[in-house]
């Protein structure tokens, strides 16, 4: 027996892993952004998912490569516009009070969920209105803004202008005929107003050129944007008359108009890089993570605004699909949301994070229900991972509570194939996880780790070290080898799980006696402890 990581310490006693969960019980220069969230209501599960996902790349880099990568991680709240104005009026508050209170709720939620960030921006901050005013003047000076009349459908819920083809007829709950957005299902109204227009139509060739660099992932969303750009691309209204929308940033040259909330909101990605100070240098490469509901704003309007201002368009847009409730997108306006606080109470922070990251996906919507959370956590974490850890570190299996020697003189012929397949899979696992995590296909990374855990369980069960320890000297040596390989595999899983479920991973590594200086694979790869 060797004392590689010191004694196995502590007891495995994390709620939900050694015990089962029962429903209803207590329980380099790189800018990465998640959308800044609109403060017309409290955060829901969909926001938490986006924010958790956006917080992963830096920890992944640290875990696998051992190095810190300069990274600016932005989160924040989008606070202007008519929806906030209306929500505040309905509550008898002034908009500023509502914004401060809901923005704080988002911040508290991010902290509770262990989401790391380097800047939390609020679009009502003075640094942001300075950036917006400067950006507006730049667009004006470069000839991209003119006064015109906008006539068409407007969806207040989505703060979006829609063409006739993007709307359809529907019926409201009272049986009245209404027009709705085909994309979101929210009601639209006919609007005719004199305001400031942005020459979006003139930017089509440059946008198409940008699309050729393949900046949008996964590919189906790139195709959607290509299709949009093949259709009509009318100029965009970028102001509202301030008599109607008071809560926003006034147009610098004309205070009778308020800046369109999406132009205002998107500029936050520049504000956090100190735009327009002389010290401003665009963060590169910049990655924006977003839900598919705001694809048009990020993949058409935002690069167009940047190109018009003479700035580089974003390098990568990573798009994810939606959490739904009974098939309908979870959304504040529809009030069909799942409260993240309730989920944290039921499943713990890491259980909730694991579920979101394992089941959420870029390509397909995912329906939320408590049964699927309970089933996943019981099967993947309590039974497979927790079971393996408990069994392989139990005092009955390892009375001296230390790491056995990896002295595998001879592998029984019956175990050779299984061992070879397992070792090959585990040696390649960090590369697989790193690749998936860096492209935000986190569900695939977690699936790969879970696959490893299940193969380790099968190996442990079929070799039955508890029986080998009662056999010949050769059996005992092989038993120690099986135990060593299992603990080493658990060290690998614990290390790789740190970005997704930091608390749970620390519990595993602590239980294995792995010191804080060894919780990266850089310098400590799989089987390096031999
Ligand atoms: N159901 C959802 N699933 C996944 N992500 C979501 C969901 N709802 C919101 N988000 C995340 O929040 C971003 C937009 O947030 P927003 O504040 O507009 O939320 P919302 O609930 O859709 O609001 P509203 O109903 O007022 O439109 C999305 O782009 C996405 O990143």
């Amino acid at each position: 027996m060797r004392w590689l990581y010191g004694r196995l310490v502590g007891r495995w006693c994390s709620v939900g892993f050694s015990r089962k969960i029962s429903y209803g019980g207590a329980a380099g220069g790189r800018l990465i952004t998640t959308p800044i969230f609109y403060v017309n209501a409290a955060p829901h599960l969909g926001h938490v998912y986006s924010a958790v996902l956006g917080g992963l790349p830096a920890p992944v880099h640290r875990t696998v490569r051992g190095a810190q990568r300069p990274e600016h991680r932005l989160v924040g709240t989008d606070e202007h516009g008519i929806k906030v104005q209306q929500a505040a009026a309905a509550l008898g508050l002034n908009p500023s009070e509502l914004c401060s209170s809901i923005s704080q709720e988002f911040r508290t939620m991010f902290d509770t969920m262990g989401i790391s960030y380097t800047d939390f921006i609020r679009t009502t901050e003075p640094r942001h209105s300075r950036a917006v005013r400067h950006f507006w003047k730049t667009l004006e000076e470069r000839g991209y803004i003119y006064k015109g009349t906008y006539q068409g459908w407007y969806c207040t819920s989505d703060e979006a202008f829609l063409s006739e083809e993007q709307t359809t007829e529907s019926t409201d709950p009272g049986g009245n005929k209404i027009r709705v957005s085909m994309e979101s299902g929210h009601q639209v109204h006919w609007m005719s107003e004199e305001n400031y227009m942005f020459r979006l139509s003139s930017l089509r060739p440059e946008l198409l050129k940008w699309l050729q660099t393949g900046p949008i992932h996964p590919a189906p969303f790139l195709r959607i944007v290509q299709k949009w750009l093949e259709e009509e691309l009318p100029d965009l209204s970028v102001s509202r008359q301030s008599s109607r929308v008071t809560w926003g940033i006034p147009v610098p040259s004309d205070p009778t108009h308020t800046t369109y909330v999406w132009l205002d909101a998107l500029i936050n990605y520049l504000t956090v890089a100190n735009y327009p100070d002389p010290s401003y240098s665009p963060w590169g490469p910049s990655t924006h993570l977003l839900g598919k509901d705001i694809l048009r704003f990020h993949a058409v309007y935002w690069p167009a605004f940047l190109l018009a201002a003479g700035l580089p368009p974003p390098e990568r847009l990573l798009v994810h699909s939606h959490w739904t409730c009974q098939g309908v997108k979870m959304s504040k306006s529809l009030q069909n949301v799942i409260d993240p606080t309730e989920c944290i109470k039921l499943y713990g922070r890491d259980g909730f994070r694991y579920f979101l990251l394992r089941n959420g996906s870029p390509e397909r919507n995912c329906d939320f229900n408590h049964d699927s959370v309970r089933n996943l956590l019981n099967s993947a974490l309590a039974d497979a991972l927790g079971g393996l850890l408990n069994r392989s570190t139990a005092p009955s299996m390892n009375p001296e509570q230390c790491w056995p020697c990896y002295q595998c003189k001879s592998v029984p012929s019956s175990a050779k194939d299984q061992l070879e397949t397992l070792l090959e899979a585990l040696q390649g696992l960090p590369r697989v996880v790193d690749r998936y995590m860096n492209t935000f296909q986190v569900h695939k990374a977690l699936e790969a780790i879970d696959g490893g855990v299940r193969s380790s369980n099968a190996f442990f069960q079929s070799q039955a070290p508890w029986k080998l320890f009662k056999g010949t000297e050769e059996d005992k040596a092989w038993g120690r080898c099986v135990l060593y390989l299992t603990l080493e595999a658990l060290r690998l899983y614990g290390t790789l799980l740190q970005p997704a479920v930091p608390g749970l991973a620390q519990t595993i590594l602590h239980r294995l006696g792995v010191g804080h200086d060894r919780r990266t694979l850089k310098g400590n790869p799989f089987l390096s402890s031999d």
Side-chain angles (χ1 to χ4, degrees), residues 34-40 44-50 83 106 157-158 186 262 289-294 320-324 328-334 337:
T34 45
I36 51 169
F37 300 110
Y38 204 56
V39 293
N40 55 337
H44 61 67
L45 179 144
H47 303 127
V48 168
Y49 170 66
S50 247
K83 282 201 290 181
F106 273 94
S157 210
D158 305 336
H186 293 137
W262 266 106
L289 180 79
L290 51 132
K292 63 183 180 181
D293 52 326
I294 53 176
H320 66 74
S321 292
H322 289 146
W323 286 90
T324 55
V328 179
K329 177 187 179 267
M330 206 181 287
S331 130
K332 285 175 273 144
S333 333
L334 298 176
V337 299

Side-chain angles (χ1 to χ4, degrees), residues 361-438:
S361 148
E363 286 94 355
R364 50 168 176 78
N365 288 347
C366 186
D367 209 53
F368 180 88
N369 69 71
H370 287 284
D371 279 345
S372 48
V373 188
R374 206 168 56 247
N375 291 341
L376 176 73
L377 297 190
N378 279 335
S379 145
L381 298 186
D383 292 345
L385 184 58
L388 188 64
L389 186 71
N390 279 336
R391 293 171 79 199
S392 59
T393 59
S396 55
M397 178 74 62
N398 184 345
E400 293 174 49
Q401 293 285 282
C402 58
W403 280 65
C405 227
Y406 183 34
Q407 284 177 343
C408 229
K409 290 204 185 89
S410 62
V411 177
S413 55
S414 60
K416 268 193 180 132
D417 285 353
Q418 195 184 16
L419 179 64
E420 215 169 277
T421 313
L422 180 67
L423 290 183
E424 201 180 311
L426 296 192
Q427 259 146 357
L429 190 61
R431 224 179 23 254
V432 171
V433 169
D434 190 33
R435 181 161 46 87
Y436 282 142
M437 288 276 196
N438 270 307

Side-chain angles (χ1 to χ4, degrees), residues 234-467:
D235 287 350
L236 180 71
S237 161
V238 283
S239 76
R240 295 285 172 284
Q241 295 199 353
S242 42
S243 53
R244 276 200 322 113
V245 182
T246 51
W247 185 239
I249 298 176
V251 166
S253 50
D254 183 355
T256 64
H257 285 257
T258 302
T259 311
Y260 173 41
V261 66
W262 266 106
L263 174 58
D264 166 348
L266 288 162
I267 291 168
N268 87 87
Y269 302 141
L270 296 178
T271 307
V272 293
N274 287 337
Y275 178 89
D277 279 359
S279 66
Y280 163 74
S281 64
W283 285 84
S286 62
T287 296
H288 300 307
L289 180 79
L290 51 132
K292 63 183 180 181
D293 52 326
I294 53 176
L295 182 60
R296 186 182 294 271
F297 305 101
H298 281 78
V300 179
Y301 301 167
W302 181 227
F305 292 148
L306 287 168
L307 289 163
L311 296 169
E315 171 153 316
R316 265 201 320 174
L317 300 182
L318 297 171
V319 188
H320 66 74
S321 292
H322 289 146
W323 286 90
T324 55
C325 264
Q326 295 173 340
V328 179
K329 177 187 179 267
M330 206 181 287
S331 130
K332 285 175 273 144
S333 333
L334 298 176
Q335 297 184 352
N336 61 343
V337 299
I338 297 289
D339 176 5
T341 310
E342 191 55 31
C343 292
I344 297 169
K345 268 194 221 144
L346 286 171
Y347 309 118
R349 181 193 74 173
D350 281 34
F352 184 38
R353 280 178 69 111
Y354 186 83
F355 172 76
L356 289 178
L357 294 173
R358 175 79 191 269
N359 276 20
S361 148
E363 286 94 355
R364 50 168 176 78
N365 288 347
C366 186
D367 209 53
F368 180 88
N369 69 71
H370 287 284
D371 279 345
S372 48
V373 188
R374 206 168 56 247
N375 291 341
L376 176 73
L377 297 190
N378 279 335
S379 145
L381 298 186
D383 292 345
L385 184 58
L388 188 64
L389 186 71
N390 279 336
R391 293 171 79 199
S392 59
T393 59
S396 55
M397 178 74 62
N398 184 345
E400 293 174 49
Q401 293 285 282
C402 58
W403 280 65
C405 227
Y406 183 34
Q407 284 177 343
C408 229
K409 290 204 185 89
S410 62
V411 177
S413 55
S414 60
K416 268 193 180 132
D417 285 353
Q418 195 184 16
L419 179 64
E420 215 169 277
T421 313
L422 180 67
L423 290 183
E424 201 180 311
L426 296 192
Q427 259 146 357
L429 190 61
R431 224 179 23 254
V432 171
V433 169
D434 190 33
R435 181 161 46 87
Y436 282 142
M437 288 276 196
N438 270 307
T439 48
F440 291 88
Q441 301 190 72
V442 181
H443 62 302
K444 290 193 182 161
L446 294 180
E447 257 166 48
I449 297 173
D450 191 32
V453 172
R454 286 169 199 277
S455 303
S456 292
N457 258 313
F459 176 69
F460 191 77
Q461 185 63 31
S462 66
Q463 298 309 311
W466 58 95
K467 286 188 194 156

Side-chain angles (χ1 to χ4, degrees), residues 110 133 162 165 175 180 215 316 365:
F110 295 157
R133 284 198 307 273
L162 302 170
E165 298 75 49
V180 296
R316 265 201 320 174
N365 288 347

